[in-house]
Amino acid sequence: MIDVALTRADLRRCDVAVVIDVLRATSVATQALATGYERVLCTESLDQAERLRGAGRVLAGERQCLKPPGFDQGNSPREAAIRCGEDLVLATTNGAPAIVEAARLAPTVMLGCLLNLTAVLAELTSLDPARCHLQLVCAGTDGAVALEDTYLAGRLSAGLAGTRTDAAHVAEAVARAFANPRQALEQSANARVLVRSGMDADIAYCAQESVLDCVPQVVSADDGTAVIARRAQPVSRTAWVDTAATVEA
């Protein structure tokens, strides 16, 4: 079963979750690991990120798209492309909390963005659609649907075999409405906010398709922090849970 959570509020228990925050948290985490950071630590709050500060750790994040006071860098994949430490601590308004919440509900949580689209699809095609409940989780924006996240969820769903929920069909229809990723991102509300904040270069960066062969995966989660590293092993079928009846109901 392929399902799409159009916002974080739609998250449900599943076997495998792919969290999507194209502008910009999952793009930042993917770029950071591809750059050479050993781990990305996603936190639900700025205070929590501050408590994780330490040697070899770089604090990155945003509030209203801007770098929080005292942080080392903002929520930009362009900044994450330069390694400045061993771990990147990431605190964002929408993406980081969605990752933490997904880790509470799914034994396997991966991160998707346009930068690693092909790599994520390659991982997901190994799943048995008859037995595995997959949820593509759009982080959204302040509880509302985000166009760019729905677009990518639709692209991923369209590339997979299996039964779909209505939400997955909706996401695929959104994806078909745009000629290319850049167009979808530029028409989003989040892109307009980034342009007003002087960060329009991040839009073009995040619109690059399949340029990174890196699939981030949550390796542990505790006390509001999800630890993410490069994915090294295929999905274990022993971790699957029986959620199909719940979804169909």
Side-chain angles (χ1 to χ4, degrees), residues 63-94:
R63 282 299 181 266
Q64 298 182 332
C65 289
L66 302 177
K67 181 179 77 170
F71 273 50
D72 302 307
Q73 59 189 49
N75 180 37
S76 171
R78 293 179 296 125
E79 292 182 280
I82 302 172
R83 181 179 176 182
C84 300
E86 296 177 3
D87 296 338
L88 187 75
V89 180
L90 185 62
T92 70
T93 305
N94 302 291

mmCIF file of all heavy atoms in Angstrom, residues 63-94:
data_model
loop_
_atom_site.group_PDB
_atom_site.id
_atom_site.type_symbol
_atom_site.label_atom_id
_atom_site.label_comp_id
_atom_site.label_asym_id
_atom_site.label_seq_id
_atom_site.Cartn_x
_atom_site.Cartn_y
_atom_site.Cartn_z
ATOM 1 N N ARG A 63 14.120 29.902 11.769
ATOM 2 C CA ARG A 63 12.812 30.325 12.240
ATOM 3 C C ARG A 63 12.374 31.435 11.307
ATOM 4 O O ARG A 63 13.093 32.409 11.123
ATOM 5 C CB ARG A 63 12.850 30.801 13.700
ATOM 6 C CG ARG A 63 12.902 29.656 14.705
ATOM 7 C CD ARG A 63 11.672 28.752 14.606
ATOM 8 N NE ARG A 63 11.692 27.649 15.577
ATOM 9 C CZ ARG A 63 12.151 26.436 15.326
ATOM 10 N NH1 ARG A 63 12.680 26.168 14.137
ATOM 11 N NH2 ARG A 63 12.095 25.491 16.239
ATOM 12 N N GLN A 64 11.209 31.221 10.663
ATOM 13 C CA GLN A 64 10.726 32.132 9.625
ATOM 14 C C GLN A 64 11.763 32.298 8.517
ATOM 15 O O GLN A 64 12.020 33.396 8.023
ATOM 16 C CB GLN A 64 10.341 33.482 10.240
ATOM 17 C CG GLN A 64 9.203 33.351 11.237
ATOM 18 C CD GLN A 64 8.768 34.678 11.823
ATOM 19 O OE1 GLN A 64 9.553 35.621 11.928
ATOM 20 N NE2 GLN A 64 7.517 34.752 12.223
ATOM 21 N N CYS A 65 12.391 31.190 8.181
ATOM 22 C CA CYS A 65 13.369 31.068 7.094
ATOM 23 C C CYS A 65 14.745 31.645 7.430
ATOM 24 O O CYS A 65 15.690 31.450 6.667
ATOM 25 C CB CYS A 65 12.874 31.726 5.800
ATOM 26 S SG CYS A 65 11.534 30.811 5.017
ATOM 27 N N LEU A 66 14.889 32.318 8.550
ATOM 28 C CA LEU A 66 16.141 32.978 8.880
ATOM 29 C C LEU A 66 16.946 32.187 9.909
ATOM 30 O O LEU A 66 16.383 31.457 10.725
ATOM 31 C CB LEU A 66 15.858 34.381 9.424
ATOM 32 C CG LEU A 66 15.086 35.308 8.480
ATOM 33 C CD1 LEU A 66 14.822 36.639 9.168
ATOM 34 C CD2 LEU A 66 15.841 35.513 7.174
ATOM 35 N N LYS A 67 18.265 32.340 9.869
ATOM 36 C CA LYS A 67 19.140 31.673 10.823
ATOM 37 C C LYS A 67 18.852 32.163 12.227
ATOM 38 O O LYS A 67 18.847 33.367 12.474
ATOM 39 C CB LYS A 67 20.608 31.934 10.453
ATOM 40 C CG LYS A 67 21.601 31.251 11.375
ATOM 41 C CD LYS A 67 23.032 31.512 10.951
ATOM 42 C CE LYS A 67 23.444 32.918 11.356
ATOM 43 N NZ LYS A 67 24.906 33.139 11.171
ATOM 44 N N PRO A 68 18.631 31.255 13.188
ATOM 45 C CA PRO A 68 18.372 31.673 14.566
ATOM 46 C C PRO A 68 19.617 32.319 15.179
ATOM 47 O O PRO A 68 20.751 31.956 14.840
ATOM 48 C CB PRO A 68 18.028 30.353 15.280
ATOM 49 C CG PRO A 68 17.657 29.402 14.192
ATOM 50 C CD PRO A 68 18.495 29.798 13.020
ATOM 51 N N PRO A 69 19.442 33.253 16.092
ATOM 52 C CA PRO A 69 20.587 33.881 16.768
ATOM 53 C C PRO A 69 21.459 32.834 17.462
ATOM 54 O O PRO A 69 20.948 31.929 18.120
ATOM 55 C CB PRO A 69 19.918 34.809 17.798
ATOM 56 C CG PRO A 69 18.557 35.076 17.241
ATOM 57 C CD PRO A 69 18.152 33.818 16.537
ATOM 58 N N GLY A 70 22.753 32.954 17.278
ATOM 59 C CA GLY A 70 23.690 32.044 17.919
ATOM 60 C C GLY A 70 23.963 30.763 17.155
ATOM 61 O O GLY A 70 24.865 30.011 17.526
ATOM 62 N N PHE A 71 23.212 30.493 16.096
ATOM 63 C CA PHE A 71 23.439 29.285 15.296
ATOM 64 C C PHE A 71 24.587 29.527 14.317
ATOM 65 O O PHE A 71 24.883 30.651 13.935
ATOM 66 C CB PHE A 71 22.168 28.893 14.547
ATOM 67 C CG PHE A 71 21.240 28.011 15.339
ATOM 68 C CD1 PHE A 71 20.865 28.356 16.637
ATOM 69 C CD2 PHE A 71 20.751 26.837 14.808
ATOM 70 C CE1 PHE A 71 20.017 27.551 17.374
ATOM 71 C CE2 PHE A 71 19.903 26.010 15.533
ATOM 72 C CZ PHE A 71 19.539 26.365 16.828
ATOM 73 N N ASP A 72 25.209 28.431 13.898
ATOM 74 C CA ASP A 72 26.363 28.534 13.000
ATOM 75 C C ASP A 72 25.958 28.811 11.565
ATOM 76 O O ASP A 72 26.680 29.490 10.824
ATOM 77 C CB ASP A 72 27.191 27.240 13.059
ATOM 78 C CG ASP A 72 27.668 26.930 14.459
ATOM 79 O OD1 ASP A 72 28.281 27.820 15.077
ATOM 80 O OD2 ASP A 72 27.413 25.809 14.941
ATOM 81 N N GLN A 73 24.830 28.274 11.156
ATOM 82 C CA GLN A 73 24.365 28.489 9.791
ATOM 83 C C GLN A 73 22.868 28.299 9.708
ATOM 84 O O GLN A 73 22.229 27.822 10.657
ATOM 85 C CB GLN A 73 25.084 27.555 8.811
ATOM 86 C CG GLN A 73 24.924 26.077 9.084
ATOM 87 C CD GLN A 73 25.843 25.239 8.209
ATOM 88 O OE1 GLN A 73 27.042 25.488 8.096
ATOM 89 N NE2 GLN A 73 25.280 24.227 7.572
ATOM 90 N N GLY A 74 22.297 28.684 8.577
ATOM 91 C CA GLY A 74 20.869 28.568 8.400
ATOM 92 C C GLY A 74 20.465 27.203 7.862
ATOM 93 O O GLY A 74 21.246 26.249 7.846
ATOM 94 N N ASN A 75 19.244 27.139 7.390
ATOM 95 C CA ASN A 75 18.681 25.895 6.856
ATOM 96 C C ASN A 75 18.859 25.887 5.342
ATOM 97 O O ASN A 75 17.902 25.895 4.578
ATOM 98 C CB ASN A 75 17.192 25.813 7.241
ATOM 99 C CG ASN A 75 16.513 24.557 6.736
ATOM 100 O OD1 ASN A 75 17.105 23.490 6.708
ATOM 101 N ND2 ASN A 75 15.252 24.690 6.341
ATOM 102 N N SER A 76 20.114 25.884 4.897
ATOM 103 C CA SER A 76 20.407 25.998 3.475
ATOM 104 C C SER A 76 21.284 24.848 3.004
ATOM 105 O O SER A 76 22.345 24.590 3.588
ATOM 106 C CB SER A 76 21.131 27.314 3.179
ATOM 107 O OG SER A 76 21.589 27.336 1.836
ATOM 108 N N PRO A 77 20.874 24.150 1.938
ATOM 109 C CA PRO A 77 21.727 23.079 1.409
ATOM 110 C C PRO A 77 23.033 23.609 0.832
ATOM 111 O O PRO A 77 24.024 22.886 0.767
ATOM 112 C CB PRO A 77 20.859 22.434 0.320
ATOM 113 C CG PRO A 77 19.905 23.507 -0.090
ATOM 114 C CD PRO A 77 19.631 24.291 1.163
ATOM 115 N N ARG A 78 23.048 24.870 0.432
ATOM 116 C CA ARG A 78 24.287 25.448 -0.084
ATOM 117 C C ARG A 78 25.330 25.566 1.022
ATOM 118 O O ARG A 78 26.522 25.351 0.785
ATOM 119 C CB ARG A 78 24.006 26.815 -0.719
ATOM 120 C CG ARG A 78 23.160 26.725 -1.988
ATOM 121 C CD ARG A 78 22.884 28.098 -2.571
ATOM 122 N NE ARG A 78 22.081 28.910 -1.681
ATOM 123 C CZ ARG A 78 22.413 30.115 -1.251
ATOM 124 N NH1 ARG A 78 23.572 30.664 -1.622
ATOM 125 N NH2 ARG A 78 21.620 30.785 -0.458
ATOM 126 N N GLU A 79 24.892 25.890 2.222
ATOM 127 C CA GLU A 79 25.820 25.931 3.351
ATOM 128 C C GLU A 79 26.233 24.525 3.768
ATOM 129 O O GLU A 79 27.385 24.288 4.156
ATOM 130 C CB GLU A 79 25.180 26.661 4.525
ATOM 131 C CG GLU A 79 24.969 28.147 4.299
ATOM 132 C CD GLU A 79 24.366 28.821 5.512
ATOM 133 O OE1 GLU A 79 23.125 28.718 5.686
ATOM 134 O OE2 GLU A 79 25.110 29.450 6.277
ATOM 135 N N ALA A 80 25.293 23.589 3.685
ATOM 136 C CA ALA A 80 25.585 22.206 4.068
ATOM 137 C C ALA A 80 26.549 21.536 3.105
ATOM 138 O O ALA A 80 27.103 20.480 3.409
ATOM 139 C CB ALA A 80 24.283 21.396 4.147
ATOM 140 N N ALA A 81 26.760 22.131 1.950
ATOM 141 C CA ALA A 81 27.676 21.567 0.957
ATOM 142 C C ALA A 81 29.137 21.748 1.343
ATOM 143 O O ALA A 81 30.028 21.202 0.683
ATOM 144 C CB ALA A 81 27.419 22.188 -0.416
ATOM 145 N N ILE A 82 29.383 22.509 2.399
ATOM 146 C CA ILE A 82 30.743 22.699 2.914
ATOM 147 C C ILE A 82 30.815 22.092 4.311
ATOM 148 O O ILE A 82 30.138 22.562 5.228
ATOM 149 C CB ILE A 82 31.119 24.188 2.969
ATOM 150 C CG1 ILE A 82 30.993 24.817 1.576
ATOM 151 C CG2 ILE A 82 32.523 24.370 3.523
ATOM 152 C CD1 ILE A 82 31.152 26.308 1.570
ATOM 153 N N ARG A 83 31.614 21.048 4.475
ATOM 154 C CA ARG A 83 31.676 20.371 5.763
ATOM 155 C C ARG A 83 32.448 21.229 6.767
ATOM 156 O O ARG A 83 33.586 21.615 6.521
ATOM 157 C CB ARG A 83 32.332 18.999 5.618
ATOM 158 C CG ARG A 83 32.403 18.242 6.929
ATOM 159 C CD ARG A 83 33.038 16.877 6.772
ATOM 160 N NE ARG A 83 33.186 16.225 8.062
ATOM 161 C CZ ARG A 83 33.754 15.032 8.245
ATOM 162 N NH1 ARG A 83 34.213 14.368 7.216
ATOM 163 N NH2 ARG A 83 33.849 14.527 9.450
ATOM 164 N N CYS A 84 31.833 21.474 7.907
ATOM 165 C CA CYS A 84 32.457 22.298 8.951
ATOM 166 C C CYS A 84 32.591 21.550 10.270
ATOM 167 O O CYS A 84 32.978 22.148 11.281
ATOM 168 C CB CYS A 84 31.647 23.568 9.168
ATOM 169 S SG CYS A 84 31.500 24.610 7.703
ATOM 170 N N GLY A 85 32.256 20.263 10.290
ATOM 171 C CA GLY A 85 32.333 19.483 11.521
ATOM 172 C C GLY A 85 31.991 18.036 11.252
ATOM 173 O O GLY A 85 31.922 17.604 10.102
ATOM 174 N N GLU A 86 31.771 17.290 12.326
ATOM 175 C CA GLU A 86 31.423 15.869 12.195
ATOM 176 C C GLU A 86 29.915 15.658 12.119
ATOM 177 O O GLU A 86 29.431 14.823 11.351
ATOM 178 C CB GLU A 86 31.998 15.092 13.375
ATOM 179 C CG GLU A 86 33.515 15.093 13.437
ATOM 180 C CD GLU A 86 34.041 14.370 14.662
ATOM 181 O OE1 GLU A 86 33.213 13.816 15.424
ATOM 182 O OE2 GLU A 86 35.259 14.352 14.855
ATOM 183 N N ASP A 87 29.158 16.396 12.938
ATOM 184 C CA ASP A 87 27.705 16.271 12.983
ATOM 185 C C ASP A 87 27.056 17.603 12.672
ATOM 186 O O ASP A 87 27.557 18.662 13.072
ATOM 187 C CB ASP A 87 27.225 15.830 14.373
ATOM 188 C CG ASP A 87 27.708 14.445 14.760
ATOM 189 O OD1 ASP A 87 28.038 13.656 13.854
ATOM 190 O OD2 ASP A 87 27.740 14.150 15.975
ATOM 191 N N LEU A 88 25.901 17.550 11.980
ATOM 192 C CA LEU A 88 25.085 18.731 11.759
ATOM 193 C C LEU A 88 23.838 18.597 12.624
ATOM 194 O O LEU A 88 23.092 17.623 12.511
ATOM 195 C CB LEU A 88 24.690 18.847 10.291
ATOM 196 C CG LEU A 88 23.962 20.147 9.908
ATOM 197 C CD1 LEU A 88 24.962 21.307 9.854
ATOM 198 C CD2 LEU A 88 23.247 20.005 8.569
ATOM 199 N N VAL A 89 23.627 19.544 13.506
ATOM 200 C CA VAL A 89 22.417 19.583 14.331
ATOM 201 C C VAL A 89 21.426 20.497 13.628
ATOM 202 O O VAL A 89 21.720 21.673 13.392
ATOM 203 C CB VAL A 89 22.720 20.096 15.751
ATOM 204 C CG1 VAL A 89 21.442 20.118 16.593
ATOM 205 C CG2 VAL A 89 23.781 19.227 16.422
ATOM 206 N N LEU A 90 20.252 19.967 13.291
ATOM 207 C CA LEU A 90 19.301 20.694 12.451
ATOM 208 C C LEU A 90 17.976 20.906 13.179
ATOM 209 O O LEU A 90 17.305 19.945 13.563
ATOM 210 C CB LEU A 90 19.063 19.922 11.151
ATOM 211 C CG LEU A 90 18.188 20.570 10.086
ATOM 212 C CD1 LEU A 90 18.810 21.884 9.600
ATOM 213 C CD2 LEU A 90 17.974 19.614 8.911
ATOM 214 N N ALA A 91 17.610 22.161 13.366
ATOM 215 C CA ALA A 91 16.335 22.509 14.009
ATOM 216 C C ALA A 91 15.550 23.409 13.072
ATOM 217 O O ALA A 91 15.962 24.541 12.803
ATOM 218 C CB ALA A 91 16.592 23.224 15.336
ATOM 219 N N THR A 92 14.430 22.911 12.558
ATOM 220 C CA THR A 92 13.612 23.686 11.624
ATOM 221 C C THR A 92 12.163 23.675 12.072
ATOM 222 O O THR A 92 11.757 22.896 12.928
ATOM 223 C CB THR A 92 13.711 23.133 10.195
ATOM 224 O OG1 THR A 92 13.041 21.862 10.126
ATOM 225 C CG2 THR A 92 15.170 22.964 9.769
ATOM 226 N N THR A 93 11.371 24.529 11.449
ATOM 227 C CA THR A 93 9.972 24.682 11.864
ATOM 228 C C THR A 93 9.115 23.479 11.496
ATOM 229 O O THR A 93 8.266 23.044 12.282
ATOM 230 C CB THR A 93 9.375 25.942 11.215
ATOM 231 O OG1 THR A 93 10.192 27.074 11.525
ATOM 232 C CG2 THR A 93 7.961 26.197 11.726
ATOM 233 N N ASN A 94 9.327 22.917 10.307
ATOM 234 C CA ASN A 94 8.438 21.866 9.807
ATOM 235 C C ASN A 94 9.120 20.521 9.579
ATOM 236 O O ASN A 94 8.648 19.490 10.050
ATOM 237 C CB ASN A 94 7.791 22.335 8.496
ATOM 238 C CG ASN A 94 7.011 23.620 8.659
ATOM 239 O OD1 ASN A 94 5.979 23.643 9.311
ATOM 240 N ND2 ASN A 94 7.496 24.698 8.061
#
